[in-house]
Amino acid sequence: MQWYGLKIKIVILTFIFGLAVFLGGNFLYDKYGSNQSLRQDLSANEYVESFELEDQGAFVLVTVRMRPNDNLMREYRALERGIETGLNGRPYRLVIEDTRDKALSDVLYESQYAIHQAIAQGSFPEMARVIEENARGAGAAARVFVDNKYVYVQLEGRNGSFLLEVIPRGAVNSDDKGLNGGGLYA
């Protein structure tokens, strides 16, 4: 069968072949081409055990499983800088995974009033004291860091478990980059 002098079977096959090549190329670019510098940066970070990048359309979901470290604030800031550079300013959401257990989760839960009060009123020394007391009561060690964007809570349990929680200090906006997706704000 012909249509304006063209064989319809050949036109359909050519269209299907072209579409397959386009979609295959797009898949390979997304998987291996784009974000390659970010993948290399995350792979080179000694505190990143594993990571996953998922394109969610409006943003990229960056899930990072961390190793224990001595300064969550420093490592989180380094992750944010690397992600922002690697994604060329594209919106993202950063989710930190850890090895929290029930005891560490309970310490965070028991400390949430002090955390939110400190964010609202600026009573950060009192917040740190409460978190450290709650951690000691559970046989864990606590480190608390604060900067202008986040409160960082780092707990280490007796059995090698650890909890890393990054809590935004300001209003959480769905357009913000780098929102932590764990614990209190899942």
Side-chain angles (χ1 to χ4, degrees), residues 57-162:
F59 64 93
V60 176
L61 178 62
V62 181
T63 306
V64 177
R65 178 173 277 291
M66 299 286 292
R67 291 187 176 99
N69 61 74
D70 61 343
N71 190 324
L72 175 60
M73 181 174 69
R74 180 185 64 227
E75 299 310 322
Y76 191 85
R77 285 177 172 175
L79 280 175
E80 278 192 321
R81 281 190 305 272
I83 292 168
E84 287 172 5
T85 301
L87 292 177
N88 296 320
R90 185 163 178 216
Y92 66 92
R93 180 176 174 147
L94 176 56
V95 176
I96 301 294
E97 292 182 344
D98 51 33
T99 61
R100 66 184 66 189
D101 60 12
K102 182 174 178 356
L104 296 180
S105 294
D106 287 348
V107 169
L108 182 65
Y109 179 77
E110 292 165 7
S111 303
Q112 69 178 326
Y113 175 74
I115 293 169
H116 291 290
Q117 180 179 12
I119 290 170
Q121 298 176 352
S123 55
F124 295 109
E126 175 65 17
M127 173 197 68
R129 187 189 61 72
V130 168
I131 294 171
E132 289 167 359
E133 283 179 9
N134 289 340
R136 258 192 311 276
R143 288 191 176 143
V144 180
F145 306 94
V146 179
D147 66 12
N148 61 341
K149 290 172 63 176
Y150 302 109
V151 172
Y152 306 84
V153 179
Q154 184 173 349
L155 303 173
E156 296 172 31
R158 286 181 257 180
N159 58 359
S161 61
F162 65 97

